[in-house]
Amino acid sequence: MKASIFITCICDNFYPQVGNAMVNILEKCGVECDFPTEQVCCGQPALNTGYWDDTREVAKTLLRAFKDSEHVVAPSGSCITAIKEYYPIIFEHDPEYLLLARELVSKAYEFTQFMHQVVKITDLGARFPYKVTYHASCHATRLLGVSPYVHQLLSNIKDIELIPLTHAENCCGFGGTFSVKQPEVSEAMVDEKVFHIKETGADVVTAVDMGCLMNIEGRLKKEGSKIRALHITQLLDEGMRL
Amino acid sequence: MNKIHQGKTFRERAREALKDDFMRQAVRKAVDTLETRKEEATDALGNWDQWREQGKRIREHAVENLDYYLSQLAANVRNNGGTVYFAPEAKDARQIILEIIKKHGGKHIVKSKSMVTEEIHLNKALIKEGLDVVETDLAEYILQLADEPPSHIVVPSIHKSRDQIAELFSNVAREKIPNDTPSLTAFSRKVLREKFLQADIGITGCNFAIADTGAISLVTNEGNARLTNSLPKVHIAVMGMERLVPSFADLEVLLTLLPRSATGQKLTSYISITNGPKKPEDLDGPDYFYLVILDNGRSRILADTEFRQSLHCIRCGACFNVCPVYRQVGGHSYGSVYGGPIGSVISAFLTNDMERYGGLAYASTLCAACSTVCAVKIPLHDLLLKLRHRYVTHKYTPAAERTVFKLWRTTFQNPKTYRLAIKMAQKAQSPLVNNGYIIKGPPPLSAWTNSRYFPKAAEKTFREQWQQQHH
Ligand code: SF4
């Protein structure tokens, strides 16, 4: 089985370890990975702020990069949602790219979705003897519906102690440019999120999106908390080595 | 416009609201309770999603055939002995209502259950004419005393504490009213009872009008709507023009959805359905019935296929209760009569002021909690995103922001310039990095670093690492 890795710009530049972890897991599951280097960002910052003309030009680069891929996998629910939900809309009047967009829509997966629907392995033989809580990222949860996949992957880990998070599905306040356009409201939201995370007594908070985790981690660090924020691929990869 | 609706942007009002710990705590506590109760009530129904789907179809059908049902409704109201007016704008509605009141020599007006009269700022207009107007639902009465607009479409005084209410009541009573619920209700009941007996005009909203019979339904928990529409000799109902259903069978579905979504009740305490003025055989009811059907921007929404779905709304308020932004800042921050996710979508259209209200599209993280909960499946987060696009197309966003995205586009559309930009950013960050994080960034990064650390860019990007390993 072949998969092209789509590394979101946040992971590429700030958290390359997340990309590495995802590749490790996929390769151990027998997936042959490639990385089309012509890829850039999915365009989400501009898309979500309403700048669709600008989004299109950037999105075209991505569409060309994955033209020949069999599957496309990303460690991000929100980037995959951007592609699946909105590429067909923004390319509505561009037949050539609309075709490419539709193709990408049908072969793009968020990591846990890919594990569940394509690789069909949900027990990675990992062990993770820590207390873990899970923040349910909005797009992955509500628009892609991956929460059951995440729970399956996590509950198959040995020695893990999963602690439910109060209001796990409430947005952490990141929202892309929202966090910069409405910093005060965003702060109030991440503040409540981090309050509940600390309340769990967990060692690790995990999620499927680095946008949320960057936000949550940034707040945890500012408060001097020792809780680690790990993408689910990092947690699994680490667990597979223990 | 009310004092709270003035002022500047959402951000400025939200900033103020965030300082009001009292209000924030009240709002968060209330929405949590409402949400829990809603989940219990909808789970109990078993097939909640099918009900929503059916509700959606009913609303869609009504809105798609609005012309037909509106004329059917009007004809039936007239057959029942009522009078119908169509008001294109808010000012027309106010004018019509004033004329009706004058015609009947009305002086004392009682009101119940109406967001739409908030929308047209009716109370101010009536009071200016020297009329005595009193809101009879407890929450609205409280807000009237406080001179504040509602902050939620179902629970208008959600932001008020019991102490604040006791204080408002004590001012009216000129003696201390204790802050316990029985004392507060007893006091308002006493005041309002006198008002009811005195009133010559009753003004209500309308939850749904039933086209094929010309009846008006009102869903309430206090029963004041029943008194308002039956005690005074004149009843004026004001409705947004989309708020109708073809028949009673449709009403039944919506009355299954509405209270469950709104407050987690299976049914509200009262459902009043009235069919025009009193008939000779009736024991009570008004002598005259008027229905004012308000457009006020609704046909603009109807004509706009991208946003038409927002007319499906049944004003259950469920989207407010789950919105993480509303949760933090309350309803007044939106600066519009209609706040929350649905208010952010429709306010620009209702007011025909995209420049001022279109920006509310950004009062959301697009988390989609609203769409997931909406009683009639309006894809609110999609509409918010489309509204942003519209707002950008009108060039209402700041010039600096437009430049940033132009620059972003030129850089990011080409893998080479993208890599170059990243290299430069890696270099530029080094004086700011402290223990692996940027703790204090210059503007605009400071918007982030004021409350969070920002990660430093990796020494080697994923792409660099990959290329080293694979070549
Ligand atoms: S948009 Fe939907 S959830 Fe919000 S008030 Fe209207 S019907 Fe209720």
Side-chain angles (χ1 to χ4, degrees), chain B residues 92-266:
Chain B
D92 304 310
R94 288 192 300 260
Q95 186 68 30
I96 291 164
I97 295 165
L98 264 172
E99 274 166 22
I100 298 170
I101 295 170
K102 280 193 187 139
K103 192 174 107 192
H104 291 285
K107 286 222 159 44
H108 302 285
I109 299 156
V110 282
K111 287 184 66 206
S112 173
K113 277 299 284 183
S114 175
M115 270 310 286
V116 79
T117 57
E118 282 292 329
E119 179 186 328
I120 61 173
H121 305 292
L122 181 63
N123 287 8
K124 283 257 147 76
L126 298 181
I127 290 165
K128 223 174 92 195
E129 293 292 316
L131 296 162
D132 167 36
V133 188
V134 63
E135 294 288 344
T136 66
D137 298 308
L138 183 56
E140 272 89 352
Y141 179 58
I142 292 164
L143 295 181
Q144 191 179 20
L145 295 181
D147 190 23
E148 281 176 30
S151 72
H152 187 291
I153 53 176
V154 172
V155 207
S157 61
I158 193 169
H159 61 289
K160 285 263 175 248
S161 73
R162 215 191 292 228
D163 285 331
Q164 290 170 321
I165 298 166
E167 199 185 310
L168 288 167
F169 284 6
S170 302
N171 287 343
V172 179
R174 296 217 180 86
E175 61 172 310
K176 185 136 186 60
I177 308 286
N179 70 355
D180 56 287
T181 310
S183 309
L184 294 175
T185 28
F187 171 76
S188 63
R189 205 166 275 163
K190 193 177 114 235
V191 175
L192 295 174
R193 194 154 290 171
E194 283 162 25
K195 292 289 180 185
F196 273 124
L197 295 173
Q198 209 182 15
D200 34 37
I201 310 272
I203 299 179
T204 68
C206 160
N207 281 94
F208 302 104
I210 300 110
D212 71 353
T213 51
I216 302 297
S217 69
L218 279 162
V219 179
T220 73
N221 272 318
E222 295 166 43
N224 294 332
R226 299 208 301 179
L227 297 173
T228 307
N229 68 15
S230 58
L231 271 180
K233 70 178 199 299
V234 181
H235 173 207
I236 306 172
V238 193
M239 66 177 266
M241 72 177 199
E242 81 287 12
R243 300 193 56 93
L244 46 65
V245 289
S247 71
F248 270 99
D250 304 308
L251 182 70
E252 193 190 325
V253 176
L254 298 187
L255 290 189
T256 300
L257 289 164
L258 179 63
R260 281 179 174 81
S261 297
T263 51
Q265 290 167 288
K266 293 201 180 73

Side-chain angles (χ1 to χ4, degrees), chain B residues 406-423:
Chain B
K406 279 269 154 329
L407 213 71
W408 170 86
R409 158 192 182 162
T410 348
T411 318
F412 273 52
Q413 67 183 337
N414 179 340
K416 281 202 192 74
T417 47
Y418 167 77
R419 284 194 293 265
L420 193 68
I422 298 303
K423 274 266 139 316

Side-chain angles (χ1 to χ4, degrees), chain A residues 13 48-49 51 61 86 181, chain B residues 362 382 388 401 409 413 458:
Chain A
N13 300 304
N48 284 1
T49 317
Y51 292 84
T61 314
Y86 299 113
K181 278 170 99 83
Chain B
Y362 296 95
D382 278 344
R388 291 182 185 188
E401 185 183 291
R409 158 192 182 162
Q413 67 183 337

